[in-house]
Amino acid sequence: LMQKLPIKRTVEGLLRLQDTGTSATLLGIGPMSSNLLQAAFELGRDDDFPLMFIASRNQVDCDDLGGGYVNGWDQKRFSADIAAIAQKVGFDGLYYLCRDHGGPWQRDEERNAHLPEDEAMELARKSYLADMLNGFDLLMIDPTKDPFEIGKVIPLDVVLRRTVDLIEWCEKERVARGLPEIGYEVGTEETNGGLTSTDKYHTFIERLKDELVARGLPMPTFIVGQTGTLTRLTKQVGHYDFEAAYSLAKMARSYGVGLKEHNADYLDDVTLLEHTPANVTASNVAPQYGTEETRAYLKLCDVEDLLVREGLLASDKVSGLRKTLLVKAIETERWRKWMVGDQVNLSVEEILANEKLSLDILDISGHYAFNDPEVKSATEKLYANLSAQNIDGQRFVVDHIKRPLRQYVECYRLKGATSRILEALAK
């Protein structure tokens, strides 16, 4: 695609397809590793659908703001690595780099430091500028992680003011630098954002529209709505609310905007299939793919153990990946956000002393440590041990990640979506 279709146009195509009953739900993929990117590009290439990679500020950000835990990526390296993987697998379709939860206090350390608002907003702008300069297509404007309002619903006026100010700033910078058109995603799936009921959602869109029109700014591409999804541990603990999804999608569409949901990990087929009649335009999944990759490594470790038992591998040659990944993942402490109850407050030592809990935490947070040098070296060693027995470990890992991806591709009717979108736009 010589001239890349802006994401706003892609969503426009999907909204048109909703009238013909042939629309699809785009999948926002949290870029947990290069293996996941490869799996996604291979599926996108074979099934002809647009890909969206959604990076949070903790995952990918400027080096001077603290960098990211995924592959040590800043925006420039992220953009370059994605392009290289697309080329490697021969993907020449549409893919979009998306900023997930951009905005003030969206890095854990900024929130924990209780930075004052003007300082947090300045860092958010710096991060957005790096996004735009490195080819990001969609920026999520999420000013609701306010450390001064913990546990409280942030007043709608405050959310609106920050949202519009940030969009205005980004648009001015984008135009001044002659950068291509980008899309914006607004709203929040966090219950403290206050956009949980349909009427609140309507008020938000209506007032947002008035403000944007008054300042000559574009309407967003997506508005995030709460459809009942919630991920904890490695489960979907939410209750999907079809009526909410349906009415939010209808309302968003009346403004020419797509409904986007977050936290759609581990949904079952029935719920996934419901997305079509509900007209959900896009859906984000992230931790599930990290967990699937961790599980793939652990299965390969089981095979390695078997080789040792059967005398096909000397015990002093074992990679030790299982133990290394376990310790490193627990030491990151990033798993705390997925925990429930009192376990949130346990120390690293207490967890390491409890084998079952250690393995549970490894399951949800192995991906936080994939970029650790010791983990990388153990992984290479594991691959080499398996390769000596004609097992391609990396290929297995990529294919293992494809399984849940494929489930969503099938249920979200993504097969052939790019061609359908282009046809709808050509009419």
Side-chain angles (χ1 to χ4, degrees), residues 12 23 55 201 211 214 224 234 280-281 330 335:
E12 203 180 300
S23 195
Y201 194 76
E211 281 293 319
V224 180
T234 55
V280 177
T281 318
I330 291 170
W335 41 267

PDB file of all heavy atoms in Angstrom, residues 12 23 55 201 211 214 224 234 280-281 330 335:
ATOM      1  N   GLU A  12     -13.655   4.369   9.331  1.00  0.00           N
ATOM      2  CA  GLU A  12     -14.780   4.828   8.508  1.00  0.00           C
ATOM      3  C   GLU A  12     -15.279   3.675   7.624  1.00  0.00           C
ATOM      4  O   GLU A  12     -16.486   3.444   7.493  1.00  0.00           O
ATOM      5  CB  GLU A  12     -14.281   5.974   7.616  1.00  0.00           C
ATOM      6  CG  GLU A  12     -15.326   6.924   7.117  1.00  0.00           C
ATOM      7  CD  GLU A  12     -14.663   8.003   6.255  1.00  0.00           C
ATOM      8  OE1 GLU A  12     -13.792   8.740   6.769  1.00  0.00           O
ATOM      9  OE2 GLU A  12     -15.001   8.079   5.068  1.00  0.00           O
ATOM     10  N   SER A  23     -18.944  -6.189   8.513  1.00  0.00           N
ATOM     11  CA  SER A  23     -17.883  -5.481   9.216  1.00  0.00           C
ATOM     12  C   SER A  23     -17.024  -6.464  10.013  1.00  0.00           C
ATOM     13  O   SER A  23     -17.273  -7.671  10.020  1.00  0.00           O
ATOM     14  CB  SER A  23     -18.472  -4.425  10.143  1.00  0.00           C
ATOM     15  OG  SER A  23     -17.460  -3.536  10.558  1.00  0.00           O
ATOM     16  N   ALA A  55       0.907   0.129  22.289  1.00  0.00           N
ATOM     17  CA  ALA A  55       1.993   0.162  23.278  1.00  0.00           C
ATOM     18  C   ALA A  55       1.697   1.161  24.383  1.00  0.00           C
ATOM     19  O   ALA A  55       1.427   2.330  24.122  1.00  0.00           O
ATOM     20  CB  ALA A  55       3.294   0.548  22.580  1.00  0.00           C
ATOM     21  N   TYR A 201     -21.510   8.564  29.134  1.00  0.00           N
ATOM     22  CA  TYR A 201     -20.759   8.416  27.881  1.00  0.00           C
ATOM     23  C   TYR A 201     -21.272   9.439  26.871  1.00  0.00           C
ATOM     24  O   TYR A 201     -20.507  10.115  26.184  1.00  0.00           O
ATOM     25  CB  TYR A 201     -21.009   6.986  27.375  1.00  0.00           C
ATOM     26  CG  TYR A 201     -20.109   6.483  26.282  1.00  0.00           C
ATOM     27  CD1 TYR A 201     -18.807   6.079  26.557  1.00  0.00           C
ATOM     28  CD2 TYR A 201     -20.592   6.350  24.975  1.00  0.00           C
ATOM     29  CE1 TYR A 201     -18.009   5.563  25.556  1.00  0.00           C
ATOM     30  CE2 TYR A 201     -19.785   5.836  23.969  1.00  0.00           C
ATOM     31  CZ  TYR A 201     -18.489   5.443  24.266  1.00  0.00           C
ATOM     32  OH  TYR A 201     -17.692   4.917  23.273  1.00  0.00           O
ATOM     33  N   GLU A 211     -16.329  21.133  22.269  1.00  0.00           N
ATOM     34  CA  GLU A 211     -15.006  21.719  22.504  1.00  0.00           C
ATOM     35  C   GLU A 211     -14.110  21.586  21.275  1.00  0.00           C
ATOM     36  O   GLU A 211     -13.412  22.529  20.889  1.00  0.00           O
ATOM     37  CB  GLU A 211     -14.321  21.006  23.694  1.00  0.00           C
ATOM     38  CG  GLU A 211     -14.799  21.468  25.045  1.00  0.00           C
ATOM     39  CD  GLU A 211     -14.398  22.919  25.328  1.00  0.00           C
ATOM     40  OE1 GLU A 211     -13.255  23.314  25.008  1.00  0.00           O
ATOM     41  OE2 GLU A 211     -15.232  23.658  25.868  1.00  0.00           O
ATOM     42  N   ALA A 214     -15.280  23.852  18.437  1.00  0.00           N
ATOM     43  CA  ALA A 214     -14.974  25.250  18.758  1.00  0.00           C
ATOM     44  C   ALA A 214     -13.508  25.584  18.468  1.00  0.00           C
ATOM     45  O   ALA A 214     -13.173  26.708  18.093  1.00  0.00           O
ATOM     46  CB  ALA A 214     -15.302  25.533  20.220  1.00  0.00           C
ATOM     47  N   VAL A 224     -13.354   4.962  23.893  1.00  0.00           N
ATOM     48  CA  VAL A 224     -13.315   3.741  24.692  1.00  0.00           C
ATOM     49  C   VAL A 224     -14.564   3.677  25.560  1.00  0.00           C
ATOM     50  O   VAL A 224     -14.955   4.677  26.165  1.00  0.00           O
ATOM     51  CB  VAL A 224     -12.070   3.717  25.599  1.00  0.00           C
ATOM     52  CG1 VAL A 224     -12.043   2.445  26.434  1.00  0.00           C
ATOM     53  CG2 VAL A 224     -10.811   3.816  24.756  1.00  0.00           C
ATOM     54  N   THR A 234      -4.924 -14.793  35.159  1.00  0.00           N
ATOM     55  CA  THR A 234      -4.998 -15.129  33.731  1.00  0.00           C
ATOM     56  C   THR A 234      -6.438 -15.490  33.381  1.00  0.00           C
ATOM     57  O   THR A 234      -6.701 -16.474  32.695  1.00  0.00           O
ATOM     58  CB  THR A 234      -4.069 -16.303  33.394  1.00  0.00           C
ATOM     59  OG1 THR A 234      -4.393 -17.392  34.258  1.00  0.00           O
ATOM     60  CG2 THR A 234      -2.624 -15.935  33.589  1.00  0.00           C
ATOM     61  N   VAL A 280     -18.912  -3.662  17.866  1.00  0.00           N
ATOM     62  CA  VAL A 280     -17.701  -3.153  18.516  1.00  0.00           C
ATOM     63  C   VAL A 280     -16.638  -3.010  17.420  1.00  0.00           C
ATOM     64  O   VAL A 280     -16.372  -3.943  16.674  1.00  0.00           O
ATOM     65  CB  VAL A 280     -17.214  -4.139  19.604  1.00  0.00           C
ATOM     66  CG1 VAL A 280     -15.909  -3.654  20.221  1.00  0.00           C
ATOM     67  CG2 VAL A 280     -18.279  -4.317  20.683  1.00  0.00           C
ATOM     68  N   THR A 281     -16.038  -1.817  17.310  1.00  0.00           N
ATOM     69  CA  THR A 281     -15.126  -1.566  16.188  1.00  0.00           C
ATOM     70  C   THR A 281     -13.713  -2.065  16.447  1.00  0.00           C
ATOM     71  O   THR A 281     -12.999  -2.442  15.525  1.00  0.00           O
ATOM     72  CB  THR A 281     -15.072  -0.049  15.888  1.00  0.00           C
ATOM     73  OG1 THR A 281     -16.398   0.470  15.969  1.00  0.00           O
ATOM     74  CG2 THR A 281     -14.545   0.215  14.496  1.00  0.00           C
ATOM     75  N   ILE A 330       9.377 -12.435  38.886  1.00  0.00           N
ATOM     76  CA  ILE A 330       8.874 -12.054  40.212  1.00  0.00           C
ATOM     77  C   ILE A 330       9.582 -10.786  40.699  1.00  0.00           C
ATOM     78  O   ILE A 330       8.959  -9.896  41.283  1.00  0.00           O
ATOM     79  CB  ILE A 330       9.025 -13.233  41.201  1.00  0.00           C
ATOM     80  CG1 ILE A 330       8.033 -14.343  40.800  1.00  0.00           C
ATOM     81  CG2 ILE A 330       8.767 -12.781  42.640  1.00  0.00           C
ATOM     82  CD1 ILE A 330       8.220 -15.655  41.515  1.00  0.00           C
ATOM     83  N   TRP A 335       3.750  -7.721  38.233  1.00  0.00           N
ATOM     84  CA  TRP A 335       2.569  -8.595  38.339  1.00  0.00           C
ATOM     85  C   TRP A 335       1.543  -8.069  39.332  1.00  0.00           C
ATOM     86  O   TRP A 335       0.405  -8.487  39.320  1.00  0.00           O
ATOM     87  CB  TRP A 335       2.997 -10.011  38.768  1.00  0.00           C
ATOM     88  CG  TRP A 335       4.059  -9.985  39.827  1.00  0.00           C
ATOM     89  CD1 TRP A 335       5.409 -10.027  39.610  1.00  0.00           C
ATOM     90  CD2 TRP A 335       3.885  -9.851  41.236  1.00  0.00           C
ATOM     91  NE1 TRP A 335       6.088  -9.931  40.797  1.00  0.00           N
ATOM     92  CE2 TRP A 335       5.179  -9.829  41.824  1.00  0.00           C
ATOM     93  CE3 TRP A 335       2.778  -9.755  42.071  1.00  0.00           C
ATOM     94  CZ2 TRP A 335       5.385  -9.714  43.189  1.00  0.00           C
ATOM     95  CZ3 TRP A 335       2.979  -9.642  43.446  1.00  0.00           C
ATOM     96  CH2 TRP A 335       4.273  -9.618  43.981  1.00  0.00           C
TER      97      TRP A 335
END
